[in-house]
Amino acid sequence: LDLKLTYDAAELLPGDYTCDVTIIWADTNEIVEPVSLTVLDPLELEAEPDPDFLYMGESAAHTWILTNASSQNAHEVSFDDACPWFAVEPASVVVPADTSVLVTAHYNAEGLAPGIYECTVRYAYAGILEHEATVNLNVLSPLAEIVRVEEPDSVYVTDTAEGIWEIGNLSTWVPL
């Protein structure tokens, strides 16, 4: 006699599961067999590294790869980015079984002051699984140009002298 067991992980989160299967025959005989199952997460996100930095007002786009290792099911993946300077496009995508798809991560430093920014991006699929990815952005002020307005030609050993320099934004030459 062959006994066929079906392992159904459709509603399970990734992890290790165990249970006992009890086989009873002739109302008096019983065998208890332990059964274990490891449920794997079929989706993998491979993110290109965040940009080292962006200057104020600049933007950048990087490619992220979503891979579905499931041989049976496609998964719709939805991204929820909670910061105004970052977005994933498309925000929702279907990843067929045994396939990878590309999405674009957009970084935008428009309107941001110089500094380091961090954001948690959530992505979910299968109606029950939610993951997080942290993205970072270092915003720099554009390179400055120095204009020497006044400089002393010389100074005596025991004296002091002053000079005036203007530092401005290269893109518009506005003194800072």
Side-chain angles (χ1 to χ4, degrees), residues 1 7-8 27 35 38 59 73 75 82 88 103 108 113 129 138 155 171 176:
L1 172 69
Y7 295 77
D8 184 359
D27 292 332
V35 176
T38 298
S59 62
N73 297 306
H75 293 292
V88 176
V103 295
N108 186 351
L129 295 175
N138 185 5
V155 63
S171 62
L176 300 176

XYZ file of all heavy atoms in Angstrom, residues 1 7-8 27 35 38 59 73 75 82 88 103 108 113 129 138 155 171 176:
143
model
N 0.850 -1.186 0.000
C 0.000 0.000 0.000
C 0.885 1.234 0.000
O 1.790 1.347 0.825
C -0.894 -0.022 1.250
C -1.706 1.248 1.495
C -2.792 1.402 0.450
C -2.303 1.201 2.895
N 2.104 18.068 0.563
C 2.661 19.148 1.362
C 2.216 20.463 0.715
O 2.631 20.788 -0.392
C 4.193 19.080 1.368
C 4.747 17.846 2.045
C 4.744 16.616 1.404
C 5.278 17.924 3.313
C 5.260 15.483 2.014
C 5.806 16.795 3.941
C 5.797 15.583 3.281
O 6.312 14.472 3.896
N 1.359 21.209 1.388
C 0.800 22.436 0.824
C 1.310 23.630 1.625
O 0.941 23.826 2.770
C -0.726 22.373 0.876
C -1.382 23.573 0.216
O -0.665 24.472 -0.267
O -2.623 23.613 0.188
N -8.520 -0.305 13.891
C -8.961 0.346 15.127
C -8.061 0.134 16.344
O -8.330 0.650 17.413
C -10.391 -0.080 15.486
C -11.400 0.461 14.499
O -11.133 1.530 13.904
O -12.444 -0.187 14.326
N 6.849 14.465 10.533
C 7.032 15.035 9.205
C 7.547 16.462 9.389
O 7.046 17.197 10.239
C 5.710 15.049 8.413
C 5.880 15.727 7.064
C 5.172 13.647 8.240
N 10.503 22.549 5.274
C 11.075 23.895 5.267
C 10.441 24.651 4.114
O 10.509 24.224 2.959
C 12.605 23.857 5.108
O 13.168 23.164 6.222
C 13.187 25.261 5.038
N 19.547 63.683 -10.327
C 18.813 62.431 -10.142
C 19.636 61.290 -10.726
O 20.552 61.519 -11.515
C 17.429 62.503 -10.793
O 17.561 62.702 -12.182
N 4.573 29.129 -9.500
C 3.683 30.282 -9.356
C 4.349 31.593 -9.736
O 5.495 31.852 -9.362
C 3.203 30.406 -7.903
C 2.395 29.209 -7.472
O 1.422 28.857 -8.121
N 2.800 28.583 -6.387
N 4.373 35.682 -9.179
C 4.090 36.524 -8.013
C 3.995 37.971 -8.446
O 4.854 38.473 -9.178
C 5.184 36.389 -6.951
C 5.231 35.040 -6.320
N 4.239 34.567 -5.508
C 6.144 34.055 -6.398
C 4.540 33.349 -5.103
N 5.696 33.013 -5.636
N 8.211 55.104 1.026
C 7.635 56.123 1.899
C 8.470 57.399 1.949
O 8.350 58.160 2.882
C 7.475 55.545 3.303
N 10.283 53.383 -7.049
C 10.550 52.203 -7.866
C 9.527 52.191 -8.989
O 8.343 52.409 -8.769
C 10.454 50.902 -7.028
C 10.634 49.678 -7.918
C 11.488 50.908 -5.917
N 13.374 46.177 -12.475
C 12.660 47.388 -12.093
C 13.710 48.477 -11.941
O 14.903 48.200 -11.792
C 11.835 47.218 -10.795
C 10.722 46.202 -10.987
C 12.724 46.842 -9.618
N 16.203 60.998 -6.408
C 16.024 62.367 -6.872
C 16.402 63.340 -5.754
O 15.742 63.383 -4.717
C 14.575 62.589 -7.309
C 14.371 63.935 -7.939
O 15.245 64.794 -7.932
N 13.191 64.147 -8.489
N 18.306 69.419 0.765
C 19.488 70.098 1.287
C 20.628 69.089 1.385
O 20.391 67.878 1.433
C 19.176 70.676 2.672
N 3.508 38.041 2.328
C 4.928 38.284 2.594
C 5.287 39.737 2.356
O 4.962 40.304 1.314
C 5.792 37.395 1.696
C 5.667 35.900 1.937
C 6.475 35.131 0.909
C 6.144 35.542 3.330
N 23.277 60.307 -0.289
C 24.141 61.362 0.224
C 24.056 62.527 -0.758
O 24.457 62.399 -1.911
C 25.580 60.848 0.348
C 26.509 61.858 0.983
O 26.097 62.925 1.427
N 27.789 61.530 1.006
N 53.363 90.947 3.008
C 53.123 91.315 4.397
C 54.450 91.226 5.142
O 55.273 90.358 4.864
C 52.029 90.423 5.040
C 52.462 88.990 5.091
C 51.629 90.950 6.386
N 27.178 76.173 -10.884
C 26.144 76.097 -11.910
C 25.486 77.444 -12.175
O 25.023 77.698 -13.282
C 25.093 75.064 -11.521
O 24.471 75.448 -10.318
N 28.048 82.202 -2.193
C 27.448 81.498 -1.058
C 27.586 82.301 0.214
O 28.440 83.100 0.391
C 28.113 80.122 -0.881
C 27.984 79.179 -2.071
C 28.773 77.905 -1.809
C 26.532 78.849 -2.327
